[in-house]
Amino acid sequence: MFLKRRRPLAFRKMSFLVFILTSVLSVTCLLADTDKGRRKVVHVLEDDTGAVIVQTAPGKVVTHRGGSITLPCRYHHEPENTDPARIRIKWTKVTDALQFEDVFVALGREQRVFGSYKGRVFLQQAGPGDASVIIQNVTLEDYGRFECEVTNDMEDDTGFVNLDLEGVVFPYYPREGRYKLNYHQGEDACKQQDAILASHSQLHKAWLEGLDWCNAGWLEDGSVQYPISHPRDQCGRKDTPAGVRNYGYRHKEDERYDAFCFTSKLNGKVYFLKRFKKVNYAEAVKACIREGSAVAKVGQLYAAWKFQLLDRCEAGWLEDGSIRYPIVNPRSRCGGSQPGVRHLGFPDKKFRLYGVFCFQKNKDETAGGTVMKKSPTDSLTKKKSSSSMATNATRGN
């Protein structure tokens, strides 16, 4: 259902309905027009039975980092001859409880995009009543909940849509050891590894896919949790059920845990640098630079394992000074029976010798791997035939 910010009763006499569409709906809504003494019909669509049904489908839309996605929002207004220049469309990002970040606003032909969304967000303009926006070159920070608000003078309505990303969750702790990060340090640690703090829903999905980790870590909402697929005494007792264990919301400055990070598809590729001899950390950095690359970050290695299906049974340096290697096809000589990214710790950078994983960015491409040569207007007016636009994947709650 819609979640609305309440307004005074005088403002709540609606002459239009805003709704988020993730599938074709069939609904008819009747509203009373007390000013003219008659019933006014707001036709959205009508189902086969003719019954009067009011229904919304907020759901979520799914893409990956670097992709393009449409956040769907439509409205219907009676009477039909309402001046479009009086309709105000506003999109905001819900960043926290009752906290909103401006994304996009349009009043008639006037449009404005805010902050990091500049140059990436455009009104879809697919016909009358379309308040949908297109986000191009989606970033990790775009993940989350957006609000669509449509206003005509003092009358308005709102709806929400969730933007989800395909990706991978991974636990992280620094060289200093376990349980060394407060919330803000955990947030920074994930960013340094090309990731963001994971949400509860992302961690829960990772648990459903088999993630098992016995150390508690920060999530983006300030809670501390950890996923257990195989209960054991050292991880909260063997006789407790499997699941995501929750410590609740903890003090963000004073308490210290690990972090659960989330990353998505890469703008480039990770590869193991083949050399005749193993190297220390400083030599590894120089070797990647000579290749026109950089030593890969932890999040980049996880993304390569997830999306690139990188499988290498040989350990190598990463940017944070850790030694890891990705296994897609498990075999006994490569660390066990389960796929994953193996972690061998943080050895001495000067004296220990290993291989190295390098990361090379895509050249002349966006993060989605698509050359963006069309103007925003062309991308919008030719959306249905343009191959540069990713197809939306929509899912219900």
Side-chain angles (χ1 to χ4, degrees):
M1 62 175 62
F2 279 137
L3 299 178
K4 302 177 182 178
R5 291 181 284 185
R6 309 297 295 181
R7 288 171 169 78
L9 183 61
F11 289 180
R12 295 191 58 78
K13 180 180 67 178
M14 300 297 178
S15 60
F16 60 85
L17 175 69
V18 178
F19 56 98
I20 299 295
L21 286 180
T22 58
S23 60
V24 178
L25 303 177
S26 298
V27 290
T28 298
C29 179
L30 299 179
L31 297 178
D33 186 346
T34 56
D35 294 337
K36 298 183 179 180
R38 63 180 178 84
R39 294 183 68 79
K40 180 169 60 178
V41 180
V42 179
H43 294 284
V44 181
L45 288 173
E46 186 175 31
D47 71 355
D48 295 336
T49 67
V52 177
I53 303 172
V54 178
Q55 182 179 3
T56 60
K60 62 183 177 182
V61 292
V62 183
T63 185
H64 54 77
R65 176 169 54 179
S68 295
I69 194 73
T70 298
L71 303 185
C73 180
R74 295 192 64 85
Y75 66 92
H76 190 91
H77 190 279
E78 289 263 351
E80 293 289 351
N81 60 358
T82 300
D83 184 2
R86 295 169 58 189
I87 299 295
R88 178 175 179 266
I89 299 169
K90 183 177 182 180
W91 280 90
T92 53
K93 173 80 178 296
V94 184
T95 57
D96 203 348
L98 302 179
Q99 298 294 317
F100 295 84
E101 174 188 3
D102 290 338
V103 174
F104 173 90
V105 65
L107 180 60
R109 294 184 178 181
E110 298 295 324
Q111 300 181 11
R112 183 179 177 185
V113 185
F114 298 88
S116 63
Y117 298 97
K118 289 181 179 179
R120 300 194 297 120
V121 175
F122 310 97
L123 198 62
Q124 180 174 244
Q125 297 177 323
D130 185 19
S132 306
V133 291
I134 297 171
I135 302 181
Q136 295 178 345
N137 194 14
V138 171
T139 69
L140 293 175
E141 289 74 19
D142 292 339
Y143 169 84
R145 199 175 199 193
F146 290 80
E147 178 191 77
C148 172
E149 179 182 44
V150 180
T151 306
N152 179 22
D153 297 328
M154 291 187 298
E155 301 168 347
D156 65 5
D157 201 3
T158 62
F160 293 93
V161 61
N162 293 311
L163 173 57
D164 198 5
L165 297 177
E166 298 172 345
V168 57
V169 172
F170 62 94
Y172 187 79
Y173 63 90
R175 173 179 289 273
E176 291 74 23
R178 307 274 187 166
Y179 288 7
K180 298 295 184 180
L181 304 171
N182 66 23
Y183 174 83
H184 306 291
Q185 292 168 336
E187 192 174 37
D188 290 341
C190 288
K191 288 181 179 179
Q192 290 169 11
Q193 298 310 316
D194 193 45
I196 57 174
L197 279 176
S199 69
H200 169 74
S201 62
Q202 289 169 338
L203 183 64
H204 185 264
K205 181 180 178 183
W207 169 73
L208 291 175
E209 294 173 350
L211 181 61
D212 182 281
W213 194 254
C214 198
N215 292 83
W218 292 104
L219 296 183
E220 57 88 22
D221 63 355
S223 66
V224 173
Q225 305 182 34
Y226 64 101
I228 294 296
S229 297
H230 307 289
R232 47 209 186 271
D233 289 336
Q234 60 269 38
C235 299
R237 295 177 55 185
K238 187 176 182 179
D239 57 353
T240 56
V244 178
R245 311 283 169 78
N246 193 339
Y247 285 6
Y249 298 100
R250 315 306 298 181
H251 196 285
K252 290 185 176 181
E253 283 77 27
D254 295 344
E255 299 193 50
R256 283 169 168 73
Y257 299 93
D258 294 345
F260 285 102
C261 305
F262 173 86
T263 193
S264 186
K265 188 176 178 180
L266 292 170
N267 173 28
K269 68 175 183 178
V270 173
Y271 61 96
F272 186 84
L273 183 59
K274 296 180 180 180
R275 295 179 57 84
F276 295 109
K277 64 176 183 177
K278 296 180 179 180
V279 294
N280 64 24
Y281 181 81
E283 292 169 335
V285 172
K286 293 178 182 178
C288 287
I289 291 175
R290 285 196 295 268
E291 293 276 318
S293 305
V295 178
K297 299 176 183 291
V298 177
Q300 292 168 341
L301 185 64
Y302 270 92
W305 168 73
K306 175 77 171 183
F307 295 101
Q308 193 180 312
L309 300 181
L310 182 62
D311 186 296
R312 186 78 187 189
C313 190
E314 189 170 356
W317 291 104
L318 292 183
E319 187 269 345
D320 67 340
S322 64
I323 298 296
R324 307 176 195 245
Y325 62 99
I327 296 297
V328 175
N329 302 307
R331 49 266 198 206
S332 58
R333 65 182 181 88
C334 299
S337 61
Q338 297 298 319
V341 175
R342 314 284 193 247
H343 184 195
L344 302 185
F346 295 86
D348 186 287
K349 289 184 175 182
K350 187 175 181 179
F351 297 106
R352 298 301 298 273
L353 306 179
Y354 295 93
V356 58
F357 289 95
C358 301
F359 171 71
Q360 187 171 63
K361 290 184 178 180
N362 290 334
K363 297 179 180 179
D364 301 324
E365 296 183 352
T366 68
T370 303
V371 179
M372 300 297 290
K373 295 183 178 179
K374 296 186 178 182
S375 68
T377 303
D378 290 339
S379 295
L380 295 173
T381 56
K382 299 178 181 180
K383 176 177 179 292
K384 291 184 179 179
S385 61
S386 173
S387 62
S388 66
M389 286 294 184
T391 302
N392 284 4
T394 56
R395 300 177 185 176
N397 283 336

